[in-house]
């Protein structure tokens, strides 16, 4: 029973860790996105001002102690604020899952992987590798536009507040769909690299006497 909990913890840590890595790397690399996507010409603002507003938004979304979203250069509608609040709760849930699952994942590494018993859970980690690959393939087949819409319908069922009206929520201009595409690509690459590394460790590992 303990090992099952540790296995589940490892899976949750992998998923939540990949999501958090994507969030924080996107935050760090956003100035490059401003240049690449030519956002200065879209909103007629300096890159520093765009980055400043984005930092305020990401701080609100990731900091549980920041309860008010107030971007100096972008107004927000009631629906827009609701959606960002919903996203904030999801981000905090991911942060909580990461922290809670960390001890179990560490124990799984010490008690199972390091001792070479990971082969007993090989099927679990094979599915961890295959599942996002299948999802990514579906995204390629149907196109990112449809995948992006489907993604929001899954996360926010029955809620259309994510469909921003640029006239009411102009911040959407500095959050183009291409930016989210880059985030999804990084998530899948990071996730696959880590999960494949774990699978490689499992494949090589042999039980050792203690």
């Amino acid at each position: 029973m303990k090992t099952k909990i540790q296995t589940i913890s490892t899976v949750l840590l992998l998923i939540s860790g990949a999501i958090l890595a994507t969030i924080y790397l996107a935050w760090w690399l956003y100035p490059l996105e401003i240049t690449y996507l030519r956002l200065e010409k879209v909103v007629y603002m300096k890159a520093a001002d765009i980055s400043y507003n984005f930092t305020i938004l990401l701080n609100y979304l990731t900091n549980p102690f920041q309860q008010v979203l107030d971007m100096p250069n972008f107004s927000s509608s009631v629906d827009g604020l609701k959606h960002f609040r919903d996203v904030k709760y999801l981000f905090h849930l991911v942060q909580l899952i990461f922290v809670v699952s960390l001890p179990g994942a560490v124990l799984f590494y010490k008690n199972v992987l390091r001792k070479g018993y990971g082969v007993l859970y090989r099927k679990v980690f094979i599915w961890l590798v295959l599942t996002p690959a299948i999802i990514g393939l579906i995204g390629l087949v149907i196109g990112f536009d449809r995948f992006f819409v489907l993604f929001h319908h899954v996360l926010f069922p029955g809620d259309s507040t994510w469909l921003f009206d640029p006239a009411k929520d102009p911040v959407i201009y500095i959050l183009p769909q291409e930016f989210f595409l880059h985030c999804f690509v990084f998530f899948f690459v990071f996730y696959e690299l880590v999960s494949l590394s774990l699978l490689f460790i499992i494949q090589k590992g042999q039980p050792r006497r203690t």
Side-chain angles (χ1 to χ4, degrees):
M1 182 64 179
K2 289 183 179 180
T3 307
K4 288 184 179 180
I5 294 175
Q6 293 170 12
T7 305
I8 294 172
S9 295
T10 303
V11 173
L12 292 177
L13 184 75
L14 175 59
I15 297 172
S16 61
I19 294 173
L20 292 178
T22 301
I23 293 170
Y24 291 115
L25 186 70
W27 191 349
W28 183 54
L29 294 179
Y30 187 72
L32 297 179
E33 291 282 347
I34 294 174
T35 301
Y36 180 77
L37 298 173
R38 300 179 180 179
L39 297 181
E40 290 176 282
K41 294 183 178 180
V42 174
V43 293
Y44 301 102
M45 290 172 55
K46 294 181 180 179
D49 293 330
I50 297 173
S51 184
Y52 178 65
N53 284 269
F54 183 78
T55 295
I56 290 176
L57 174 60
L58 264 290
N59 182 59
Y60 168 77
L61 294 176
T62 59
N63 184 354
F65 301 105
Q66 181 62 46
Q67 296 298 319
V68 177
L69 176 60
D70 184 15
M71 294 172 286
N73 298 105
F74 297 103
S75 58
S76 298
S77 68
V78 173
D79 283 349
L81 290 174
K82 178 190 178 303
H83 178 65
F84 282 133
R85 186 168 61 252
D86 292 340
V87 174
K88 177 181 177 67
Y89 293 153
L90 287 177
F91 280 12
H92 293 334
L93 176 61
V94 173
Q95 292 168 332
L96 179 62
I97 290 173
F98 181 85
V99 172
V100 171
S101 62
L102 182 58
V106 171
L107 290 175
F108 183 81
Y109 175 76
K110 292 176 62 177
N111 298 332
V112 179
L113 294 185
R114 283 188 61 184
K115 294 181 179 180
Y117 298 115
V119 67
L120 300 174
Y121 302 90
R122 181 168 49 195
K123 288 184 179 180
V124 174
F125 287 91
I126 288 176
W127 276 108
L128 281 178
V129 172
L130 290 178
T131 301
I134 293 172
I135 294 174
L137 181 61
I138 292 173
L140 287 175
V141 171
I142 67 176
F144 185 71
D145 289 350
R146 294 180 63 185
F147 178 81
F148 191 66
V149 172
L150 179 62
F151 172 80
H152 280 81
H153 283 315
V154 171
L155 284 185
F156 311 103
D159 186 359
S160 62
T161 56
W162 62 273
L163 292 168
F164 279 27
D165 180 352
K168 297 179 180 179
D169 292 284
V171 69
I172 196 62
Y173 284 123
I174 65 169
L175 300 170
Q177 196 160 293
E178 292 88 344
F179 167 69
F180 291 105
L181 172 60
H182 298 161
C183 292
F184 274 98
V185 169
F186 175 78
F187 169 82
F188 282 114
V189 170
F190 181 84
Y191 177 94
E192 286 295 316
L193 286 176
V194 176
S195 56
L196 282 170
S197 298
L198 287 173
L199 187 58
F200 178 75
I201 292 173
I202 289 172
Q203 292 287 85
K204 284 194 65 176
Q206 294 294 331
R208 299 183 305 198
R209 293 183 178 180
T210 56

